[in-house]
Amino acid sequence: MASNSGKVTDWVDPKDKSGEFKRQVSSFRDWVSNEPNARFPPEKGRYHVYISYACPWATRVIIARKLKGLEDFITVSSVHWHLGEKGWRFPTAQDTDAEGENVVPDPLHEDFTHMRQIYFESAPDYTGRFTVPVLYDKKQNVIVNNESSEILRMLGTAFDDHLDEAHRSVVLYPTALQSQIDEANEWHYDKINNGVYKSGFATTQEAYERNVTLLFEALDKAEAHLAATAAEGPYYLGKQLTEVDIRLFVTIIRFDPVYVQHFKCNIRDIRSGYPHIHKWMRNLYWNHPAFKDTTNFLHIKNHYTRSHTQINPLSITPVGPLPDILPLDDDVPAAEAVKAGKV
Ligand SMILES: N[C@@H](CCC(=O)N[C@@H](CS)C(=O)NCC(=O)O)C(=O)O
């Protein structure tokens, strides 16, 4: 994998002849915990999470933060959507092109300009990529964890003793569903969440085709699952919203606006090719503020199309598809015409 000594756009090591994107393993793996003498106890206002609204992995964390009502426990700020040669940068007061809640200069370090400084503050010898999300302890000025799957799992329970009943009862990894969640997470992660990146970042035709084929086989499987369980829904595993919904949503919501064209994931799109996935996604977006309020299409579209100059050297952002997401009960025009008996 490319370290911070190479070009920022070298997601595939130029020396790697396979052309395959291999995602780095995250480095900071501590936990907020209730255990006596824990290094990171669950205290109100003690933690901060650095995110990008563009990033699906980071968005997992802020969806969970809202669902669990953790706004008073964990403050949040978003980087600017542009990922440049020095990685993510903090917005400045002069930026007028990156609107969104908490899109602000680093609230914790007045002189910091880039995410990399957060990493070097905790680990001066750090040689990996400077990724978001980062869960940060404001008391000790250190990174707690930079692996979104673990932060998501942690937020599901770590603060529960301090929450009201309504938020404590939001259980994202319930015991009765754990084996189903683990099973779904595994192939969703490899073939869908990371599959879009493996398709889009591939530097050979073979690597691209292999990964895009696996991606669409997995989408077909998710569609079949949602079709077969539609009567038990509306969530991926039935009546209960779980982390599977959060983890799959952040990729599917970006699919038509970005991945179809920018990452060449265009065997089908969601709105015209996957009716059950489309319905499941729109229910989450339109009926749950935790999903809608954490989705920022401006950051999403601009980030990918203007930062990945190895894919899109002129940084022109495609206008469509319009709208970014269809209303709850509308369909693509061709399907609407069929419904209305006009064709
Ligand atoms: N394993 C990490 C991956 C996070 C990740 O790759 N984030 C991307 C944004 S979507 C990033 O910050 N990339 C910056 C870079 O690669 O330079 C997680 O899930 O937390």
Side-chain angles (χ1 to χ4, degrees):
M1 82 107 237
S3 74
N4 61 27
S5 55
K7 276 167 56 187
V8 75
T9 46
D10 286 346
W11 278 283
V12 174
D13 186 334
K15 294 191 289 292
D16 185 338
K17 293 282 168 286
S18 74
E20 284 267 353
F21 169 56
K22 299 177 182 106
R23 188 172 292 281
Q24 74 172 20
V25 175
S26 302
S27 304
F28 297 89
R29 312 298 285 266
D30 275 312
W31 284 70
V32 174
S33 140
N34 258 328
E35 310 244 313
N37 304 320
R39 185 170 174 214
F40 300 106
E43 279 168 26
K44 212 171 206 171
R46 174 161 174 169
Y47 299 97
H48 186 78
V49 64
Y50 291 100
I51 60 120
S52 159
Y53 283 110
C55 172
W57 317 101
T59 308
R60 291 170 164 185
V61 172
I62 51 171
I63 294 173
R65 173 179 173 268
K66 289 219 183 214
L67 285 173
K68 291 289 296 181
L70 294 172
E71 288 91 334
D72 293 341
F73 287 83
I74 307 171
T75 49
V76 64
S77 62
S78 171
V79 294
H80 191 279
W81 48 259
H82 187 253
L83 180 89
E85 219 22 76
K86 288 198 162 126
W88 295 112
R89 73 169 175 84
F90 297 115
T92 65
Q94 284 72 49
D95 284 319
T96 53
D97 61 350
E99 68 214 35
E101 201 186 347
N102 298 315
V103 182
V104 290
D106 181 356
L108 308 178
H109 312 82
E110 218 180 311
D111 53 332
F112 279 14
T113 55
H114 287 80
M115 234 3 248
R116 60 171 55 210
Q117 292 166 287
I118 303 293
Y119 277 82
F120 288 137
E121 178 191 41
S122 286
D125 298 332
Y126 184 74
T127 55
R129 300 194 69 101
F130 310 106
T131 57
V132 288
V134 164
L135 181 66
Y136 184 87
D137 176 8
K138 295 190 264 188
K139 211 163 190 175
Q140 302 176 73
N141 293 331
V142 288
I143 296 175
V144 181
N145 195 302
N146 72 334
E147 170 49 47
S148 64
S149 57
E150 292 183 356
I151 306 172
L152 171 61
R153 186 69 56 83
M154 208 183 299
L155 301 198
T157 57
F159 297 88
D160 275 4
D161 289 351
H162 306 270
L163 301 181
D164 57 38
E165 181 48 34
H167 288 112
R168 206 172 27 243
S169 65
V170 175
V171 182
L172 300 173
Y173 189 57
T175 313
L177 295 175
Q178 282 177 4
S179 61
Q180 280 170 271
I181 294 174
D182 294 345
E183 196 265 335
N185 280 349
E186 195 177 330
W187 60 271
H188 287 181
Y189 169 75
D190 184 43
K191 306 222 165 60
I192 302 178
N193 305 132
N194 205 26
V196 293
Y197 283 90
K198 288 193 278 185
S199 303
F201 281 167
T203 56
T204 63
Q205 183 71 31
E206 293 71 26
Y208 160 68
E209 280 190 28
R210 184 168 53 250
N211 286 295
V212 84
T213 305
L214 292 170
L215 162 66
F216 278 86
E217 282 169 9
L219 289 173
D220 291 348
K221 185 171 163 184
E223 175 71 11
H225 165 83
L226 287 168
T229 57
E232 297 148 36
Y235 304 112
Y236 196 88
L237 294 176
K239 300 249 173 297
Q240 186 165 358
L241 193 160
T242 67
E243 60 173 55
V244 175
D245 296 290
I246 300 174
R247 291 172 48 129
L248 190 58
F249 174 85
V250 295
T251 297
I252 301 299
I253 196 73
R254 287 162 176 71
F255 206 89
D256 290 4
V258 172
Y259 300 146
V260 170
Q261 65 81 26
H262 182 72
F263 278 170
K264 306 181 186 74
C265 299
N266 64 351
I267 294 178
R268 277 185 287 288
D269 64 7
I270 300 297
R271 63 191 65 195
S272 55
Y274 289 103
H276 289 93
I277 298 177
H278 192 209
K279 185 171 178 200
W280 160 86
M281 172 191 84
R282 285 188 296 172
N283 172 55
L284 292 172
Y285 182 89
W286 291 111
N287 293 329
H288 296 275
F291 287 79
K292 181 164 182 288
D293 297 351
T294 52
T295 301
N296 185 320
F297 288 111
L298 176 117
H299 285 242
I300 291 171
K301 291 183 71 157
N302 285 357
H303 161 66
Y304 286 91
T305 57
R306 300 185 195 182
S307 303
H308 300 161
T309 49
Q310 85 283 20
I311 297 176
N312 190 26
L314 294 181
S315 294
I316 291 170
T317 303
V319 170
L322 290 175
D324 294 316
I325 176 168
L326 285 166
L328 200 52
D329 298 314
D330 287 4
D331 244 312
V332 293
E336 286 289 356
V338 172
K339 261 200 276 178
K342 290 195 189 133
V343 286

